[in-house]
Amino acid sequence: MLLSILLQAVTGSGLAQLGTGLGAGLSVIGAGLGIGKIGQSAMEGIARQPEAAGEIRMSMIIAAALIEGVALFAVVACAFIIK
């Protein structure tokens, strides 16, 4: 309810475009930091236990894919706001 009122208030102004750009940018930056943290932790784990490299790598790829999916959803949601 509140979101729809806010969107109606800023529709047609530069604030909607500014908010869309900031939202998309923040979601992409957050996803990049999250995937980087996952990669760092995975490499540390593989260095400590090389025999578990396959399991760690698979878990890392699944987690990175989930983060990337959420980031893509956020960018698409921001793109819909601009219309």
Side-chain angles (χ1 to χ4, degrees):
M1 177 75 180
L2 181 62
L3 181 62
S4 64
I5 293 171
L6 288 173
L7 287 174
Q8 288 175 359
V10 298
T11 302
S13 69
L15 290 177
Q17 294 174 347
L18 177 67
T20 300
L22 286 174
L26 287 175
S27 66
V28 169
I29 289 171
L33 290 173
I35 292 173
K37 181 71 173 165
I38 289 172
Q40 174 189 1
S41 299
M43 292 300 110
E44 289 175 359
I46 291 172
R48 289 185 185 145
Q49 292 183 337
E51 65 275 2
E55 294 176 18
I56 293 172
R57 188 178 301 117
M58 184 182 304
S59 298
M60 177 187 71
I61 290 172
I62 291 171
L66 291 173
I67 290 174
E68 189 174 339
V70 169
L72 180 65
F73 180 73
V75 169
V76 169
C78 288
F80 282 138
I81 290 174
I82 203 165
K83 289 185 178 184

